[in-house]
Amino acid sequence: EVQLVESGGGLVQPGGSLRLSCAASGFTFDDYAMGWIRQAPGKGLEWVSAISWSGDLTNYADSVKGQFTISRDNAKNKVYLQMSSLKPEDTAVYYCATDLKARPLDELTHPTDFTYWGQGTQVTVSS
């Protein structure tokens, strides 16, 4: 059974940083790309970032480019999202996801490209 469990969310002041983690199980983690998607209050899902199976390739939404960094540790079956210079508009539930279809990274740029999702972790940016 595929399981994705996010952690690391919380309340942070504007300008602060957070590191989200996602622990994966139930599949061969280092065979597949991973991604992060978020949903702000009252808004739709927004693809944030994706990383290739090896970690060599990454991709970001324009809204977070230069602000967020995705990474993975295949030995620990974990993917991370380092978020810095956080703004109130980054407030959202953040989901870790994968497709388990071994598609290239440039085909994982929309929430509907991902099949398996975690339950999400809340990030609130507020003073």
Side-chain angles (χ1 to χ4, degrees), residues 36-40 44-49 61 63-64 89 110-111:
W36 288 94
I37 296 128
R38 68 184 179 184
Q39 186 167 29
L45 295 166
E46 179 189 16
W47 171 78
V48 173
S49 182
S63 58
V64 304
E89 50 263 44
H110 191 275

Side-chain angles (χ1 to χ4, degrees), residues 10-77:
L11 174 64
V12 62
Q13 292 188 339
S17 299
L18 274 178
R19 187 197 196 202
L20 305 183
S21 298
C22 172
S25 61
F27 63 101
T28 305
F29 182 72
D30 54 6
D31 277 354
Y32 300 103
M34 298 293 296
W36 288 94
I37 296 128
R38 68 184 179 184
Q39 186 167 29
K43 297 190 175 182
L45 295 166
E46 179 189 16
W47 171 78
V48 173
S49 182
I51 187 166
S52 63
W53 65 270
S54 65
D56 289 346
L57 300 175
T58 59
N59 201 4
Y60 298 92
D62 288 343
S63 58
V64 304
K65 202 170 290 184
Q67 183 189 359
F68 291 3
T69 302
I70 191 171
S71 62
R72 66 190 294 162
D73 185 336
N74 286 345
K76 295 183 178 179
N77 283 13

